[in-house]
Amino acid sequence: MNRSPLPFLFLATGVLGLGCARGPEYAPVSGRVTLDGQPLSGAAVVFQPVAGAGGDPGGYGSTGKTDADGRYTLRVAGPTDLAGGLVGQHRVSVTTRTAESPPGSDEIAVKGAERVPARYNRQTELTFTVPPAGTTAADFDLKSK
């Protein structure tokens, strides 16, 4: 019986192709935030991926909270427990206000005074590109005036 190897080749190529499919690529990201040259403690740093040509950013955003020295490390804000940020370009916002939701409620209460100008949060001008190897220098020197 003389069988063509083509069906086998197509099947093997399809199976190998499944192994090559990759999900979103995340890399470690940390940095420091200052406001007027002073460490900004207790601030939320949010990296939101910028959508590509297809309109889908391809992964989740990330958040971190600054310590007393203004240092933060990003964690993915999604169903997985990953450190880092999605590789690629992000809009970045920094805020000192906190959002809380009582247990069992859909309502969100925003608390605390905002120490960061709107141009760094609600109307952010900040961007950052996460490199494939990650970075420890995602630093932001914010100015109040």
Side-chain angles (χ1 to χ4, degrees), residues 27-34 39-47 62-76 83-85 90-95 126-131 135-142:
V29 177
S30 61
R32 187 169 188 239
V33 180
T34 58
L40 183 62
S41 65
V45 181
V46 180
F47 277 50
S62 299
T63 64
K65 186 155 185 158
T66 59
D67 65 13
D69 194 36
R71 298 192 184 282
Y72 69 94
T73 299
L74 291 182
R75 301 230 26 110
V76 177
H90 295 259
R91 287 181 47 145
V92 179
S93 62
V94 180
T95 182
L126 301 173
T127 62
F128 190 85
T129 300
V130 174
T135 183
T136 58
D139 300 336
F140 299 97
D141 184 23
L142 313 179

Side-chain angles (χ1 to χ4, degrees), residues 3-60:
R3 289 191 153 183
S4 169
L6 282 179
F8 176 76
L9 288 174
F10 285 125
L11 178 62
T13 302
V15 170
L16 289 174
L18 287 176
C20 295
R22 295 187 343 191
E25 191 177 340
Y26 294 92
V29 177
S30 61
R32 187 169 188 239
V33 180
T34 58
L35 180 62
D36 297 326
Q38 299 299 312
L40 183 62
S41 65
V45 181
V46 180
F47 277 50
Q48 186 61 43
V50 174
D56 181 9
Y60 295 99

